[in-house]
Amino acid sequence: VTAYWCPFAWLPDGVAADVRVEVEADRVVSVSPRTPAQASDVRLRGLVLPALADAHSHAFHRALRGRTQAVTGSFWSWRTAMYHVAERLDPDSLLALATAAFAESALAGFSVVGEFHYVHHAAGGRPYDAPNVMGEALREAARRAGVRLTLLDSCYLTGGIGQPLSGVQQRFGDGSVEQWAARVSTLQPDVQTRIGIAVHSVRAVPAEQLSAVAAAFPDVPLHTHLSEQPAENEQCVAAYGCTPAQLLADTKVLSPRTTVVHATHVSSDDIALLAESRTAACLCPTTERDLADGIGPGLRLRNASVPLSLGSDQRAIVDGFEEMRGLEMHERLASGIRGRFSGSALMDAATVNGHAALGWPEAGSIAPGRLADLVAVRLDTPRTAGADVDQVLYAATAADVDTVIIGGDVVVKEGQHRLGNVGRLLDDAIAAVIA
Ligand SMILES: [Zn+2]
């Protein structure tokens, strides 16, 4: 048993002082507030949080950070730049890039990443000899970076509603739901990896195939992009006479194990469908503002009791505090009112709700029996100094993360990842995939 002593800790019923947390193997076995440290305790710094969940990630998009900002455009022109990177990926370059990207996630305090995976095949859609070599590269990358992974393998059959796959999109497709399911069925979970599935979007899976995707693996997390852009809604209404959310409801894609990602442009009726089906939603505020998607309906979803989680998505920023603040601050800008979400609601979105969306219900809080995934945030940095301890999430950044413990292993210590210089790893990996 290892005992960690925390000056402050974010516990399920609030921030407590002088908290002793005993860990055995990968689990928390006891949590004792107002308890003095013992000589053998490992003393953590600052405020210790349950480690964060990044509920929506595309690791390879990290290569685009700071490289798409010089021109005017939209989501769709950004997507063209993203396709140029997707074209150049191979199993080795994806392994290097994802290892570095997941190490950046660990440095920021994330213990689990939900990787929405769609670059499955080689150029032209030719299957690799090992059909899941790209997914296995993501698994190995997470193992090296020390984070848990939920590999959300995405079914991607069409290049748009009624459109064939073209160009690099051919790498994403399996040809049919049956062939996608056959490939995914050979992916096995392990201690650090869980397998989930995804419908890429209503743009990428025809209406008549959606229910087959949902039925293929009925017990695993199911994610889908939903209504990130108005054009998706317009195309869906034109083709099928209903909104994407209605289509997903009619085809049983919406369910308690389902998470819709973005939901930026959903109607009140769409939100009612999400609520009735007990579907969850993942908002990605730093991506949605970067791609000029719009401000998502975080408060309207919350008021309808739709569980909210948070994702870094395209990794323009990897900072769980900034995602939490984005959820709140975008509502402030839209409404002129402060304090739309409580601090605990923001933390729930970044922790328990995200872990649940990714199939890790035993993680996300500091409590006996839970996974020992802890993040110590310094309270004495230029950013955090002076903040009330229960409001520090409005001030902290990823740079204030001091120690990250995942499954009882120390992955980040004094702000350094065990792999060493993560900036260098990123630089080298990105150089290999940009033209
Ligand atoms: Zn995405």
Side-chain angles (χ1 to χ4, degrees):
V1 174
T2 302
Y4 294 97
W5 189 83
C6 317
F8 299 96
W10 191 288
L11 303 182
D13 52 359
V15 174
D18 302 338
V19 181
R20 200 161 175 270
V21 179
E22 288 185 311
V23 172
E24 190 170 357
D26 64 348
R27 298 277 168 163
V28 171
V29 292
S30 73
V31 179
S32 308
R34 298 174 302 283
T35 301
Q38 297 181 12
S40 60
D41 290 0
V42 178
R43 286 170 175 265
L44 299 177
R45 281 177 158 143
L47 170 63
V48 178
L49 308 172
L52 311 179
D54 183 351
H56 187 70
S57 158
H58 308 279
F60 80 89
H61 292 187
R62 177 62 182 83
L64 295 166
R65 184 186 300 176
R67 304 183 59 83
T68 62
Q69 308 288 355
V71 291
T72 183
S74 67
F75 168 86
W76 305 101
S77 56
W78 172 87
R79 192 180 74 157
T80 303
M82 183 268 282
Y83 279 0
H84 286 308
V85 176
E87 207 154 28
R88 295 175 62 89
L89 291 174
D90 61 30
D92 291 337
S93 62
L94 179 62
L95 173 60
L97 180 53
T99 300
F102 293 154
E104 183 186 7
S105 299
L107 279 174
F110 293 104
S111 59
V112 57
V113 176
E115 178 68 11
F116 196 107
H117 169 49
Y118 57 88
V119 187
H120 302 123
H121 304 298
R126 181 179 55 79
Y128 286 107
D129 292 341
N132 283 310
V133 67
M134 296 293 267
E136 293 298 340
L138 292 163
R139 182 203 302 266
E140 175 63 13
R143 193 190 65 76
R144 292 183 186 182
V147 299
R148 305 178 194 282
L149 176 72
T150 297
L151 183 64
L152 298 158
D153 197 300
S154 174
C155 187
Y156 200 123
L157 301 175
T158 58
I161 297 174
Q163 305 289 320
L165 298 175
S166 68
V168 69
Q169 290 175 334
Q170 292 174 308
R171 298 192 67 180
F172 313 160
D174 286 282
S176 69
V177 174
E178 293 71 27
Q179 286 170 280
W180 164 80
R183 181 178 56 72
V184 173
S185 70
T186 65
L187 285 164
Q188 296 301 324
D190 61 45
V191 67
Q192 206 165 333
T193 308
R194 296 202 170 149
I195 307 300
I197 59 170
V199 168
H200 179 275
S201 59
V202 300
R203 292 178 274 124
V205 179
E208 61 275 16
Q209 308 281 337
L210 285 166
S211 54
V213 176
F217 302 92
D219 302 320
V220 302
L222 167 57
H223 287 218
T224 182
H225 292 119
L226 173 69
S227 295
E228 182 174 6
Q229 285 287 323
E232 175 182 302
N233 291 358
E234 291 157 15
Q235 290 158 11
C236 189
V237 169
Y240 302 126
C242 65
T243 64
Q246 182 72 58
L247 184 60
L248 296 174
D250 293 346
T251 52
K252 305 280 191 283
V253 174
L254 301 187
S255 75
R257 55 139 178 173
T258 303
T259 296
V260 296
V261 180
H262 302 301
T264 311
H265 300 282
V266 289
S267 68
S268 298
D269 288 347
D270 292 338
I271 289 173
L273 292 170
L274 298 176
E276 283 162 22
S277 58
R278 294 168 51 220
T279 297
C282 174
L283 272 59
C284 308
T286 70
T287 288
E288 288 147 10
R289 69 193 186 208
D290 182 83
L291 296 181
D293 289 338
I295 298 175
L299 200 63
R300 289 160 59 215
L301 289 164
R302 198 277 306 273
N303 290 345
S305 300
V306 173
L308 294 177
S309 58
L310 293 164
S312 68
D313 192 8
Q314 57 141 334
R315 294 176 168 270
I317 288 174
V318 172
D319 187 328
F321 301 104
E322 191 59 26
E323 301 298 347
M324 283 189 255
R325 283 195 290 273
L327 185 58
E328 164 68 16
M329 299 303 167
H330 294 183
E331 289 286 347
R332 291 187 186 185
L333 288 171
S335 68
I337 301 171
R338 305 178 80 228
R340 308 313 304 257
F341 288 90
S342 67
S344 64
L346 297 176
M347 272 296 293
D348 284 352
T351 57
V352 278
N353 294 357
H355 288 91
L358 296 176
W360 295 91
E362 70 275 57
S365 60
I366 302 175
R370 297 299 184 117
L371 287 169
D373 295 358
L374 309 172
V375 174
V377 181
R378 292 183 64 144
L379 301 175
D380 59 352
T381 72
R383 291 161 295 276
T384 59
D388 280 349
V389 67
D390 58 353
Q391 295 185 29
V392 78
L393 60 90
Y394 297 89
T397 70
D400 303 312
V401 168
D402 182 71
T403 301
V404 181
I405 296 163
I406 301 178
D409 289 337
V410 178
V411 176
V412 174
K413 191 175 180 183
E414 294 182 359
Q416 295 296 311
H417 194 280
R418 67 187 188 191
L419 288 177
N421 186 338
V422 175
R424 169 69 63 81
L425 292 177
L426 283 162
D427 220 23
D428 291 348
I430 291 166
V433 297
I434 55 176

